[in-house]
Amino acid sequence: MEKQKTSVGESITECDVICGPSCGIGSRVAYGVYGVRDRKAGRIRIPQEYNGHLVINIRPGAFRSNNRLKEVILNKYISEIPEDCFAGCTHLERVIIPRKLYSIEDGAFRGCISLKEIYFGGT
């Protein structure tokens, strides 16, 4: 487990996410996030690498209805938040997204009634 400072100055522990092969980039395989191993985790950070491969996307519905999740930090390679990614995460309060993000799909945050803060690219 690795500690990292968030853009708001708090410490966060990287949570063990469930990743799997997503696509290939040239001759290299990239991974995508399918969910989180510890459904009790309140704060997660999507790692930049998993088993030596870049983590470049999140699968649709990956964190759906996770009622423990309060904060998420996406890595710099994530460029899209897919449909229903965080739908029903009723305790989600803060999301930190990379500067490179270009798309938030319909319903990505549907039902996130506690969402108060979204930090974009460190702002």
Side-chain angles (χ1 to χ4, degrees):
M1 294 279 196
E2 175 185 326
K3 294 254 183 194
Q4 172 184 325
K5 291 281 189 183
T6 67
S7 62
V8 291
E10 298 175 3
S11 291
I12 190 168
T13 302
E14 183 174 306
C15 182
D16 193 13
V17 294
I18 300 168
C19 292
S22 179
C23 65
I25 301 174
S27 62
R28 192 169 178 190
V29 173
Y31 274 47
V33 176
Y34 288 82
V36 63
R37 289 192 199 288
D38 182 1
R39 299 262 316 161
K40 295 179 182 178
R43 292 183 166 94
I44 62 169
R45 179 172 58 93
I46 307 297
Q48 292 185 32
E49 289 190 8
Y50 184 83
N51 289 338
H53 301 284
L54 293 179
V55 177
I56 63 166
N57 62 33
I58 304 171
R59 309 306 291 167
F63 302 102
R64 183 180 321 164
S65 299
N66 184 329
N67 292 322
R68 302 277 186 149
L69 196 56
K70 291 185 177 189
E71 181 180 62
V72 176
I73 300 173
L74 305 181
N75 76 38
K76 67 181 180 180
Y77 300 116
I78 303 294
S79 59
E80 173 182 57
I81 298 177
E83 182 178 3
D84 294 330
C85 185
F86 299 103
C89 293
T90 57
H91 291 90
L92 184 62
E93 297 175 359
R94 179 173 30 194
V95 179
I96 299 172
I97 57 180
R99 198 177 312 237
K100 190 174 158 179
L101 191 86
Y102 69 86
S103 175
I104 298 175
E105 298 293 319
D106 288 339
F109 294 100
R110 182 180 301 127
C112 295
I113 58 175
S114 299
L115 190 58
K116 299 174 192 170
E117 301 172 282
I118 296 178
Y119 291 93
F120 180 70
T123 61

